[in-house]
Amino acid sequence: MGRTKQQQREETMEALTTTARRLFAEHGYGNVGLETIAQTAGVSKGALYHHFSSKAELFRHVLGVVQHDVGEKIARAADAAPDSWSGLLAGCRAFLAAATDPETQQIMLLDGPSVVGWQDWRELDEESSARHLAEALTGLMAEGVLAKRPVEPLVRLLSGAMNEAAVWLAHSPDSQADLATTMDTLTPMIEALR
């Protein structure tokens, strides 16, 4: 039985996304051409252009997928914790741990802001990890664990600190050791909110 046009489109999109993600992670945005992506994915350049008008558009899509995956890791880590407070700390650690993953480093932290621009990068971050942080803080305030205060500035402050730490970890020669030090430093900062 033949595949439908919709199935073919989905398979092409999946092949392009997976291939571009791997190549961008391995070589960096500036060192990967659309022709290489199309050939490696086993699709024509025309099929690539049917889905994406430019390399920047394809990269933005891949960046969105990576940021979504990081957001899912944060949510899983937080949900696995025994209580909401531990969940907040686990989510923060999961976000920072993602910064030690070479794929996430290259796509999300090194190339992302420069390729899509800071504002678009922040919007993608808002859709993924910042949303989870806002939900966690709101829940902790509702439980009385954190003092009630405006959530939006608190999310911006914590998210900004963690994004900056994540970029630092991405450039660190010993990101695993620096991750432990960063969490040791971040935890009392968050504890001060109690």
Side-chain angles (χ1 to χ4, degrees):
M1 190 165 178
R3 297 174 306 178
T4 67
K5 290 274 189 203
Q6 179 63 28
Q7 288 170 322
Q8 290 173 350
R9 279 192 294 274
E10 289 170 4
E11 288 169 6
T12 299
M13 185 71 151
E14 180 63 29
L16 287 169
T17 301
T18 301
T19 301
R21 182 175 181 164
R22 182 175 54 77
L23 292 173
F24 288 144
E26 289 174 4
H27 305 288
Y29 175 81
N31 298 316
V32 178
L34 285 178
E35 191 160 318
T36 301
I37 294 169
Q39 286 176 349
T40 306
V43 302
S44 70
K45 207 165 174 187
L48 187 150
Y49 279 115
H50 176 76
H51 292 280
F52 302 101
S53 63
S54 66
K55 183 168 92 166
E57 185 181 334
L58 173 57
F59 180 83
R60 189 183 196 294
H61 172 74
V62 169
L63 174 60
V65 171
V66 170
Q67 286 192 312
H68 173 79
D69 290 351
V70 169
E72 291 298 308
K73 287 178 187 174
I74 292 167
R76 281 193 304 274
D79 290 345
D83 57 62
S84 301
W85 181 254
S86 300
L88 173 65
L89 294 176
C92 291
R93 179 165 181 50
F95 175 77
L96 292 172
T100 66
D101 173 67
E103 178 187 76
T104 303
Q105 287 176 346
Q106 187 64 49
I107 294 172
M108 192 171 100
L109 301 169
L110 301 177
D111 287 337
S114 62
V115 174
V116 302
W118 183 247
Q119 190 57 41
D120 281 354
W121 188 91
R122 287 292 300 138
E123 286 174 15
L124 289 168
D125 181 59
E126 183 69 34
E127 293 168 12
S128 56
S129 13
R131 177 176 51 88
H132 294 295
L133 182 57
E135 291 168 0
L137 293 170
T138 300
L140 287 165
M141 287 179 201
E143 292 173 20
V145 175
L146 292 181
K148 290 198 185 280
R149 55 178 48 104
V151 173
E152 188 66 22
L154 190 54
V155 168
R156 298 286 177 201
L157 288 166
L158 287 174
S159 181
M162 287 190 295
N163 283 335
E164 193 60 34
V167 170
W168 176 70
L169 287 168
H171 289 90
S172 168
D174 189 359
S175 58
Q176 288 302 318
D178 288 336
L179 172 61
T181 303
T182 301
M183 276 309 294
D184 288 346
T185 305
L186 179 64
T187 301
M189 288 174 57
I190 296 174
E191 288 278 356
L193 300 172
R194 286 180 123 175

